[in-house]
Amino acid sequence: MYNLPKKYIITGAPGTGKTTLINLLKDTVPCMDEVSRRVIIDEQKNNRNGMPWEDIHRFTDLVFELTTKELLNSNTLICDRSLLDLEAYLTVASKPIPNYLRDFPYKKNYHTTVFFAPTWFEIYCQDAQRLQEFDFCLRLEKSLIEHYTKKGFEIIMLPKTSVTTRKKLVLETII
């Protein structure tokens, strides 16, 4: 895993336009879809409880396992979220952070530049995999910023503007 190119991260609370941006970037650079949403969909489809609002420990384990596999087998340049997001979720839930996350070599796998999509009330909406209230998103945003900053990442705040403008900013920064 450590010899592969480092991945850029696009992160932020739920409903901030990350996936929309990733989908637009895919026509230019290889991107990794959000693993946590895929885990939630699979857990719901199979009537299991590995969701952050049910069994956050199971959810964390599943996302970690799938993400590390994809990091190993991917020419991805940009990731929709990173494993560090799990630490922020666990912190907001007042749950302990497992050693495998605490000890993960983030900077060996990810670029230190992180694109952050801020909470944006006007575009936020709930869906079957996004049950969180907007107030939760504000708390998670604070936790994400704290965790990324504490690990030494440089955060570039994405403007609350069109997805094409956001795409241009990301591409001008990484290419």
Side-chain angles (χ1 to χ4, degrees):
M1 173 176 348
Y2 309 130
N3 295 328
L4 292 173
K6 292 182 179 183
K7 290 29 169 163
Y8 286 94
I9 303 163
I10 296 177
T11 193
T16 57
K18 296 176 303 296
T19 301
T20 301
L21 176 56
I22 288 283
N23 288 337
L24 190 60
L25 284 163
K26 285 179 184 177
D27 66 3
T28 309
V29 295
C31 298
M32 187 167 107
D33 290 325
E34 182 181 7
V35 172
S36 57
R37 182 172 279 266
R38 285 186 277 147
V39 166
I40 292 169
I41 290 168
D42 185 64
E43 290 292 290
Q44 289 173 329
K45 185 171 67 175
N46 293 294
N47 294 315
R48 295 185 299 241
N49 66 345
M51 279 113 11
W53 52 86
E54 287 190 27
D55 185 347
I56 195 167
H57 295 294
R58 175 176 168 78
F59 171 77
T60 299
D61 291 344
L62 293 169
V63 171
F64 181 82
E65 180 182 333
L66 186 54
T67 300
T68 53
K69 284 180 188 173
E70 290 194 12
L71 287 173
L72 277 170
N73 301 308
S74 173
N75 67 344
T76 294
L77 185 59
I78 300 175
C79 297
D80 190 339
R81 297 191 173 278
S82 82
L83 290 171
L84 193 49
D85 289 41
L86 293 172
E87 290 192 33
Y89 268 92
L90 289 164
T91 299
V92 170
S94 299
K95 302 291 184 186
I97 297 169
N99 287 336
Y100 64 79
L101 278 178
R102 191 180 322 278
D103 298 337
F104 187 78
Y106 292 104
K107 288 187 177 177
K108 290 184 180 177
N109 292 280
Y110 298 110
H111 274 277
T112 57
T113 299
V114 174
F115 298 95
F116 197 94
T119 52
W120 190 354
F121 185 77
E122 289 75 15
I123 67 167
Y124 180 77
C125 63
Q126 293 174 304
D127 62 27
Q129 289 78 46
R130 186 186 302 130
L131 303 180
Q132 300 94 340
E133 297 288 333
F134 190 74
D135 286 346
F136 171 84
C137 296
L138 294 171
R139 290 192 313 276
L140 180 61
E141 176 179 75
K142 181 179 179 198
S143 183
L144 286 164
I145 290 170
E146 287 172 359
H147 280 273
Y148 278 97
T149 301
K150 185 169 68 174
K151 294 279 188 183
F153 287 91
E154 174 196 349
I155 297 173
I156 296 177
M157 294 300 275
L158 294 170
K160 293 181 182 180
T161 186
S162 73
V163 68
T164 53
T165 301
R166 285 177 158 193
K167 176 185 176 182
K168 183 179 177 194
L169 170 67
V170 170
L171 291 177
E172 286 174 351
T173 303
I174 68 172
I175 296 179

